[in-house]
Amino acid sequence: MADSELEQLKARRVTALYRLDLIGKGAQLTYDDGTPVDMKSEQARLQEMVADLDRRIARLEATLH
């Protein structure tokens, strides 16, 4: 069970890092109604998400080893 959760967290982390890379390359997202997403806020949100995932991954890995 913990292995499965660990793999899910790692996959979410990879996705968040990919999105951060796209933002770094100048990507601009829009909502379904065409309103632009505030990319600074999205970048900060993703950075916080990655930091949280890093902590959660580290805790899970510590319990598995």
Side-chain angles (χ1 to χ4, degrees):
M1 173 93 176
D3 285 333
S4 168
E5 183 179 357
L6 182 60
E7 292 307 313
Q8 289 175 350
L9 292 175
K10 286 182 177 182
R12 287 178 55 200
R13 183 181 184 278
V14 167
T15 300
L17 289 172
Y18 175 73
R19 290 179 179 170
L20 280 169
D21 183 55
L22 290 176
I23 290 170
K25 292 178 179 174
Q28 178 60 54
L29 303 174
T30 57
Y31 294 104
D32 290 339
D33 67 358
T35 305
V37 173
D38 176 9
M39 298 310 286
K40 292 281 187 198
S41 294
E42 182 65 5
Q43 182 177 20
R45 184 185 75 78
L46 288 168
Q47 288 169 335
E48 289 174 17
M49 179 189 295
V50 169
D52 178 59
L53 288 167
D54 285 343
R55 287 188 294 273
R56 293 170 65 187
I57 289 167
R59 275 195 304 266
L60 260 177
E61 286 179 335
T63 64
L64 294 175
H65 298 291

